[in-house]
Amino acid sequence: MKVLVAADKFKGSLSSIEVNAAIRQGVMDAVPDCDVVMMPVADGGDGTAAALVDSLGGLWTENIVHGPSGKSLPARYGVINGDTVVVDVAAASGLASLDAAGRNPLITSTLGTGEQIKDAICKGYRKFMIGLGGSATNDAATGILASLGYRFVGIDGNLLFPCGKNLVEICAVDSTCAMPELKECRFTLLCDVDVRFYGIEGAAYVFAPQKGADEVTVGLLDDGLRSFANILLETTGVDVQTLRYAGAAGGIGGTLCSMLGADAVCGIDAVIGMMGFDDVVAGADIVVTGEGRMDATTLLGKAPYGVCKWARRYDAPVIAFTADVKDAQILNAAGFLAVFPIQSGVLSEEESMRPEVASANLRRTAFQTFRLISGLK
């Protein structure tokens, strides 16, 4: 029996490599002569750079940049194929770098992500892949652009700090000091969700609450995105509200597409395509995927659903392991043969996310599942 394990991370607990290793061990415990192939995947969320660097033999560069709250922190980006930089927005501007008290999308900024891009440009790189998931920000990429030389001008000609609360004050974008090398650069945005730039289905309403925004703050942020969309239209002629993935990462998607000519794509499709998923899945008897939480929103572009769609092209049945599952019937109807929660009992969230606990639960669930599968063959 050939089994392909292609799971994403369990966020805050296990990396995609660790998740895949635990599942593989459980499968091998149950079926020792099984041919198990691992392909850790990512969908544009945090961990995307690691998945690509590890699978394609890339290299890492680390530097000190501004974190989302302005504090300095170390952040790394990868280089694959010798010429392509892979950056996770989450590395320098991620939610995981802040505690609950520090989460405030009115003031957090993507300056650090821009500093990473600037560093790579100064080293001669011109091709970029940017994973947009896991951000702590709602600044519509103004921080990124500020690090690359752009300036944002208020009604009195004053320069505004690039953050969510100042979007509504921006009257013009000054590009006179933008890095001239940007004209030579090509940006591909790897997106794990498709939301609008503003409105009820936009970046602020859908994702700002998990970044620390209350109801009033969400409204302020949405007003800012709506206003800034008009500035982008005046500046570039692009109506970002009509673009796919425009609201990804607090509006980074729409802004970089309009200002830098970036291409926004489905992250999981791009990642597994680069990894040669077609070659690996061919002949697989069963595919195992998963991530920390799965529900109906998994179908918006998350890694497990991307794996499922690709595997079904080869008629390979797909099962998923997750710590928390909702909407299982919807997931089954979308193509998953089965979705298994891995918890073995009543545990606190803190306990269940301990790496050793999550790993043991994955291994045990994989063992029990494949013990059954092998017994039925």
Side-chain angles (χ1 to χ4, degrees):
M1 178 167 55
K2 177 181 177 181
V3 177
L4 171 60
V5 182
D8 200 353
K9 65 189 175 299
F10 275 37
K11 191 171 182 177
S13 180
L14 298 172
S15 69
S16 59
I17 293 174
E18 292 168 331
V19 170
N20 283 262
I23 294 172
R24 180 184 185 277
Q25 189 59 60
V27 175
M28 296 298 295
D29 290 343
V31 192
D33 61 349
C34 186
D35 177 16
V36 184
V37 179
M38 293 196 309
M39 180 178 279
V41 298
D43 54 18
D46 41 334
T48 297
L52 287 171
V53 168
D54 291 342
S55 67
L56 301 177
L59 301 173
W60 290 106
T61 292
E62 183 174 280
N63 50 11
I64 302 299
V65 299
H66 288 93
S69 66
K71 296 180 180 178
S72 296
L73 54 75
R76 64 180 186 172
Y77 61 82
V79 178
I80 58 174
N81 303 325
D83 66 351
T84 302
V85 172
V86 187
V87 180
D88 285 347
V89 167
S93 310
L95 196 61
S97 67
L98 302 173
D99 58 23
R103 296 179 179 181
N104 185 349
L106 284 172
I107 61 175
T108 49
S109 176
T110 55
L111 278 168
T113 300
E115 290 166 344
Q116 290 185 293
I117 295 170
K118 180 179 179 179
D119 181 76
I121 290 175
C122 290
K123 290 177 178 174
Y125 295 105
R126 297 294 183 266
K127 293 169 65 177
F128 293 83
M129 302 186 75
I130 306 176
L132 297 193
S135 73
T137 58
N138 202 102
D139 71 350
T142 51
I144 292 174
L145 293 179
S147 292
L148 299 177
Y150 289 86
R151 298 293 179 263
F152 301 95
V153 184
I155 192 170
D156 296 323
N158 55 309
L159 296 182
L160 298 167
F161 180 77
C163 62
K165 72 176 182 179
N166 285 340
L167 290 177
V168 73
E169 303 294 333
I170 296 173
C171 294
V173 180
D174 179 3
S175 62
T176 56
C177 295
M179 296 180 72
E181 297 91 342
L182 287 170
K183 296 178 182 178
E184 305 167 4
C185 294
R186 189 174 77 197
F187 296 91
T188 301
L189 311 180
L190 306 177
C191 308
D192 61 348
V193 291
D194 186 5
V195 294
R196 288 182 172 274
F197 200 74
Y198 59 81
I200 297 299
E201 298 178 345
Y205 276 96
V206 176
F207 289 113
Q210 70 187 40
K211 301 177 184 183
D214 58 20
E215 186 175 350
V216 172
T217 298
V218 166
L220 293 173
L221 292 170
D222 189 66
D223 289 344
L225 289 165
R226 189 181 299 268
S227 175
F228 189 56
N230 289 327
I231 300 300
L232 290 173
L233 179 61
E234 294 172 6
T235 304
T236 69
V238 176
D239 181 0
V240 294
Q241 187 69 350
T242 67
L243 301 180
R244 290 200 67 189
Y245 306 111
I252 290 178
T255 299
L256 294 192
C257 285
S258 62
M259 292 294 298
L260 300 183
D263 295 315
V265 301
C266 174
I268 184 59
D269 285 347
V271 169
I272 62 180
M274 293 177 67
M275 290 179 172
F277 187 86
D278 282 325
D279 296 331
V280 178
V281 74
D285 295 292
I286 193 163
V287 175
V288 184
T289 187
E291 65 179 351
R293 287 185 172 88
M294 292 181 63
D295 55 30
T297 65
T298 299
L299 307 182
L300 297 178
K302 296 295 186 179
Y305 187 50
V307 170
C308 182
K309 288 191 299 180
W310 279 58
R312 296 302 293 154
R313 297 175 188 173
Y314 294 86
D315 295 322
V318 181
I319 64 174
F321 298 141
T322 181
D324 181 17
V325 60
K326 296 181 178 66
D327 309 316
Q329 289 182 320
I330 295 174
L331 296 171
N332 293 152
F336 292 94
L337 177 62
V339 181
F340 296 102
I342 66 169
Q343 306 291 39
S344 59
V346 179
L347 299 174
S348 67
E349 182 176 3
E350 181 180 2
E351 176 69 11
S352 68
M353 291 180 66
R354 287 174 51 205
E356 61 271 25
V357 173
S359 181
N361 283 341
L362 276 166
R363 181 172 176 176
R364 173 190 48 76
T365 306
F367 172 77
Q368 292 293 336
T369 302
F370 279 86
R371 177 178 168 84
L372 171 64
I373 290 171
S374 64
L376 294 176
K377 285 188 175 291

